Amino acid sequence: MLPRVLEEEVMDTPEEARDYDAMDHKAVNTLFVDDFLHHWDGRSPVLDVGTGTAQIPIELARRCPQVRIVAVDLAQQMLLLADRNVAQAQLQECIRLERIDAKKMPYAENTFAAVMSNSIIHHLPQPERGFAEMHRVCQRGGLLFVRDLLRPSSWAALQELVDLYAGGANAHQRAMFAASLHAALTVEEVRDCVKQLGYSPETVQQTSDRHWTWVAYKQHL
């Protein structure tokens, strides 16, 4: 198995934010929202952890105008672009942006009706802290919907994914994607994290050739 190699926790340069925002995430984001809606009961507020440039909250708010979303990230440069994107979409009433560390969020327990997150876990040196915080701030009975990249089994497999999904990207974007894959967790590593919180390992499944997804409801203390 390819060993995990950490990348920077916070992508906070103008170049990183700009190149990330410019990458074609439409298919991935649309599928994420499709799958979230399949499990979500429609209650707000929804917390989006590691929102980046707010592309997923914008997609969700366009499809569900009644939703209220708190979208958080630690990278100031990402949030600057997120603020621009939310304003251009005219969704300021639906989406509130906040600069927050996913490992120690300031919200009280049981605050959010649903918690969603896409591609933040692989940035965390101690991913179990991110899972624990998302569990803590979710309301009892609320949805926990977390998706992230899956670490490939070999360097050759990693390169194949980069060629397949970032073949038309620039060199920096390709390097960012490769680093993210290398920093990602395996399904078993994610299962170990959620098991510590009392969830069944089976709530974590591989859902594409490069993603795992955790879907659970907070039914316990």
Side-chain angles (χ1 to χ4, degrees):
M1 172 59 65
L2 193 69
R4 187 183 188 207
V5 177
L6 295 176
E7 65 174 345
E8 56 185 332
E9 184 173 348
V10 183
M11 297 168 59
D12 207 9
T13 69
E15 180 186 19
E16 287 171 326
R18 183 177 60 250
D19 275 357
Y20 176 84
D21 192 57
M23 292 175 75
D24 184 6
H25 303 285
K26 183 172 178 55
V28 169
N29 292 345
T30 299
L31 181 59
F32 183 98
V33 174
D34 286 343
D35 292 345
F36 176 82
L37 289 174
H38 178 74
H39 298 281
W40 180 50
D41 63 7
R43 293 185 300 126
S44 292
V46 174
L47 176 66
D48 181 37
V49 182
T51 196
T53 58
Q55 294 182 19
I56 283 177
I58 289 169
E59 177 69 16
L60 178 59
R62 281 174 172 159
R63 294 163 67 174
C64 301
Q66 80 283 2
V67 71
R68 293 297 177 265
I69 305 168
V70 179
V72 306
D73 206 284
L74 190 56
Q76 187 64 44
Q77 294 297 325
M78 289 284 187
L79 289 173
L80 289 173
L81 289 183
D83 186 65
R84 181 204 66 185
N85 292 343
V86 170
Q88 288 180 346
Q90 299 183 328
L91 290 169
Q92 299 95 320
E93 296 298 316
C94 299
I95 302 170
R96 185 172 86 242
L97 300 169
E98 295 187 352
R99 190 181 185 197
I100 299 293
D101 187 342
K103 304 185 302 300
K104 47 184 179 182
M105 294 187 280
Y107 311 116
E109 294 182 12
N110 308 311
T111 295
F112 296 94
V115 178
M116 64 181 186
S117 180
N118 183 56
S119 296
I120 184 63
I121 292 297
H122 75 266
H123 285 285
L124 304 181
Q126 297 174 299
E128 63 274 10
R129 293 177 62 186
F131 284 114
E133 277 293 270
M134 286 186 265
H135 162 80
R136 183 184 66 82
V137 303
C138 188
Q139 294 174 6
R140 293 179 183 87
L143 172 64
L144 291 152
F145 188 89
V146 182
R147 179 169 291 169
D148 206 330
L149 293 169
L150 178 70
R151 190 166 78 250
S153 59
S154 67
W155 181 251
L158 186 153
Q159 289 300 316
E160 287 179 6
L161 289 172
V162 172
D163 291 341
L164 180 60
Y165 293 107
N170 66 39
H172 184 239
Q173 290 169 329
R174 287 170 58 86
M176 289 169 61
F177 184 43
S180 293
L181 287 167
H182 215 161
L185 304 184
T186 66
V187 167
E188 289 307 316
E189 287 167 344
V190 180
R191 287 177 171 174
D192 286 343
C193 288
V194 305
K195 188 176 179 180
Q196 293 174 29
L197 298 170
Y199 294 95
S200 166
E202 296 307 308
T203 57
V204 179
Q205 296 291 332
Q206 180 173 344
T207 48
S208 83
D209 59 351
R210 64 198 188 284
H211 293 104
W212 54 260
T213 306
W214 178 42
V215 184
Y217 297 92
K218 185 178 176 181
Q219 302 287 4
H220 55 286
L221 299 178

